[in-house]
Amino acid sequence: MESFSIDISHWRSRLKEARLLRLTGQVTRVIGLTVEVKGINASIGEVCEITVPGEPEPVRAEVVGFRDGSTLLMPLGELKGIYQGCSVTPSGRPFTIKVGEGLLGRVLNGLGEPMDGLGPVGGRTENYPVDNRPPNPLKRRRITEVLSTGVRAVDGLLTCGRGQRIGIFSGSGVGKSTLLGMVSRFSDADVNVIGLIGERGREVLDFIETDLGPEGLARSVVVVATSEQPALVRLKGAFVACAVAEYFRDQGRDVLLMMDSITRFAMAQREVGLAIGEPPATKGYTPSVFALLPRLLERAGMSSAGSITAFFTVLVDGDDLNEPISDAVRGILDGHIVLSRSLAASNHFPAVDVLNSVSRLMPDITTEEHRAWAGRLRDLLAAYRQAEDLINIGAYVAGSNPRVDEAIACYQDIVAFLRQDLKEHARFEETLAMLEKIVNRGVNGQ
């Protein structure tokens, strides 16, 4: 008679983690965004269920802190209907979402649930944790390959690598969403994951149908947490987008993660921090904001399996690039793209200010010739900008400065290179050829 063995190690670990005795508590107080509960034993980040009589489903809430013997919860939804005495049951697990290949082409809400009216996510799915640790820094592969974005100004002068994290800094209405839409359509990444965090509700459909388009949506997952959503849902929306990107990265894919915007993510954490009693610090932002930013931003990048190349937009308050969130984010990321309001006002799109932008990894992933051409074009553009006032009023005399003369001769070609129609896909090889032609024309004085 044959003998056989069954591996039950998985079930042993599940039994060890199981909470066999669950205490049910009661809501004692609701103050602002927080719900105070007594009688439960739950850890930070654990999801609890608040039973509201008359409602078909319990309200999910997450443990965010403790105060005077009470557990502080913040609902993953509306506070409406919750009253003193509602029963609260801990679930014994953190917040998770369902992931799978069926996510491609779908639009999810901030809690990872489909909101596009197409029903549940199809195909095989699995539960995936939302709050994950960044990859071990010693297990991250080095960034050695170029990721083509299809945007000339970025590929030519601010070249991005697979696994790099870039910030897009600008004021409102300067073209952040439009630039993200171009990159999502034209890049050579395998999968796009787009997080619209704190966006106006009106702009979501505009972005999906106009900026992203059917072609971009087909290989994308869009996570939406609009501005009227509770602060915790906006926070979770950012982490859900990261978790979806990590799932596809773990499959060995090259993922492009785009998040608009980190500033509104920080504002949501400020609301949570103030609600649980944190003291305001720099410009009203609580200390937890600056602790949470690297936990989110460091999750992108290379791993042993695949890559997450990330573009995070930063809404610059009053066009001040040194305000606290901009300064903190710029110190964490591997480069920044600055969009200029003056360029946008002169109908120059994408409004990339290449002289104030930098890709920290460009020297490591580009050829010597490419770096020389890009440096030369920057030099010509800087020379023109320095003498621009004199040129515009007709006070500059030709021959006064050979460097400025060369810049004037090339300026229209440089502007044509940096401008790009929203539907124009610039291939990387074509961008380099155009860059070389402009630089050589300047050197030859033609």
Side-chain angles (χ1 to χ4, degrees):
M1 186 172 180
E2 285 188 25
S3 63
F4 61 93
S5 61
I6 301 174
D7 183 11
I8 61 171
S9 57
H10 169 70
W11 300 108
R12 274 183 182 159
S13 64
R14 289 287 298 273
L15 183 60
K16 221 178 257 188
E17 293 170 1
R19 184 174 296 173
L20 302 179
L21 180 63
R22 291 186 186 175
L23 299 175
T24 298
Q26 286 188 332
V27 173
T28 58
R29 206 160 48 156
V30 176
I31 301 177
L33 303 174
T34 60
V35 178
E36 291 191 12
V37 177
K38 284 190 182 275
I40 62 172
N41 184 18
S43 59
I44 294 289
E46 186 172 335
V47 175
C48 300
E49 294 183 345
I50 304 174
T51 303
V52 181
E55 295 294 331
E57 296 289 334
V59 176
R60 287 187 296 171
E62 185 175 294
V63 179
V64 294
F66 309 97
R67 181 192 298 145
D68 300 329
S70 296
T71 303
L72 303 182
L73 307 182
M74 196 162 282
L76 296 165
E78 298 295 334
L79 284 165
K80 185 178 178 181
I82 297 174
Y83 62 89
Q84 191 174 22
C86 284
S87 64
V88 180
T89 307
S91 67
R93 60 183 182 274
F95 185 68
T96 60
I97 58 169
K98 291 191 178 298
V99 295
E101 289 293 322
L103 285 176
L104 291 174
R106 301 300 302 269
V107 181
L108 312 178
N109 64 17
L111 302 180
E113 301 161 343
M115 61 176 294
D116 50 12
L118 300 179
V121 175
R124 184 179 176 183
T125 61
E126 61 182 272
N127 287 327
Y128 198 85
V130 168
D131 294 316
N132 300 311
R133 291 181 179 274
N136 185 325
L138 298 181
K139 292 184 179 178
R140 288 182 186 259
R141 289 175 295 140
R142 293 192 62 193
I143 298 173
T144 57
E145 298 179 25
V146 171
L147 177 86
S148 174
T149 64
V151 180
R152 278 193 299 268
V154 177
D155 288 347
L157 305 176
L158 306 165
T159 312
C160 179
R162 292 185 189 275
Q164 186 170 350
R165 301 159 306 159
I166 294 276
I168 301 176
F169 295 74
S170 84
S172 57
V174 183
K176 298 186 301 302
S177 299
T178 302
L179 179 58
L180 288 182
M182 293 176 70
V183 173
S184 65
R185 289 196 307 274
F186 302 146
S187 81
D188 55 8
D190 299 325
V191 176
N192 297 323
V193 179
I194 303 164
L196 303 177
I197 310 302
E199 282 291 301
R200 305 174 187 90
R202 173 190 61 80
E203 293 181 336
V204 172
L205 194 59
D206 287 347
F207 178 83
I208 293 172
E209 293 187 351
T210 306
D211 295 328
L212 190 58
E215 180 186 350
L217 181 60
R219 62 186 183 116
S220 302
V221 183
V222 182
V223 180
V224 177
T226 48
S227 57
E228 85 283 357
Q229 293 290 312
L232 198 59
V233 175
R234 281 175 272 146
L235 282 178
K236 288 301 176 190
F239 287 120
V240 164
C242 272
V244 172
E246 287 166 336
Y247 165 75
F248 285 107
R249 178 184 64 186
D250 293 345
Q251 311 301 312
R253 310 280 189 90
D254 288 319
V255 182
L256 182 62
L257 170 64
M258 290 170 281
M259 195 170 294
D260 187 13
S261 72
I262 288 298
T263 306
R264 295 189 176 112
F265 168 82
M267 289 177 175
Q269 178 58 29
R270 177 173 63 183
E271 287 182 42
V272 172
L274 292 173
I276 62 175
E278 270 194 274
T282 311
K283 283 202 172 179
Y285 288 101
T286 57
S288 63
V289 172
F290 301 99
L292 197 62
L293 282 173
R295 279 182 49 200
L296 176 73
L297 302 178
E298 287 286 358
R299 286 171 63 173
M302 300 292 285
S303 74
S304 57
S307 69
I308 299 177
T309 308
F311 285 79
F312 298 102
T313 70
V314 181
L315 186 61
V316 179
D317 186 16
D319 292 342
D320 177 14
L321 291 172
N322 295 316
E323 58 94 25
I325 300 303
S326 301
D327 207 37
V329 170
R330 194 165 51 243
I332 299 169
L333 299 180
D334 307 316
H336 54 274
I337 297 171
V338 177
L339 302 187
S340 165
R341 191 174 295 279
S342 61
L343 287 175
S346 61
N347 199 35
H348 181 121
F349 291 102
V352 178
D353 185 351
V354 296
L355 297 181
N356 285 317
S357 306
V358 67
S359 170
R360 294 180 183 174
L361 289 174
M362 183 175 175
D364 299 331
I365 58 176
T366 52
T367 63
E368 188 176 344
E369 292 83 2
H370 183 178
R371 293 193 295 275
W373 299 332
R376 182 61 180 157
L377 189 142
R378 280 175 172 270
D379 185 56
L380 291 170
L381 186 58
Y384 186 90
R385 292 275 172 84
Q386 289 169 4
E388 190 168 16
D389 290 340
L390 293 176
I391 296 168
N392 288 339
I393 65 174
Y396 177 76
V397 178
S400 302
N401 186 330
R403 182 167 166 262
V404 175
D405 291 340
E406 194 177 335
I408 293 172
C410 294
Y411 184 67
Q412 292 305 320
D413 292 329
I414 293 173
V415 170
F417 175 81
L418 296 177
R419 272 182 173 162
Q420 187 172 334
D421 186 79
L422 303 182
K423 297 182 180 179
E424 180 188 356
H425 180 188
R427 304 195 178 278
F428 191 74
E429 297 76 14
E430 296 169 358
T431 295
L432 292 187
M434 194 172 177
L435 184 60
E436 180 186 13
K437 185 176 179 181
I438 292 171
V439 170
N440 288 339
R441 184 178 300 165
V443 170
N444 297 328
Q446 297 176 354

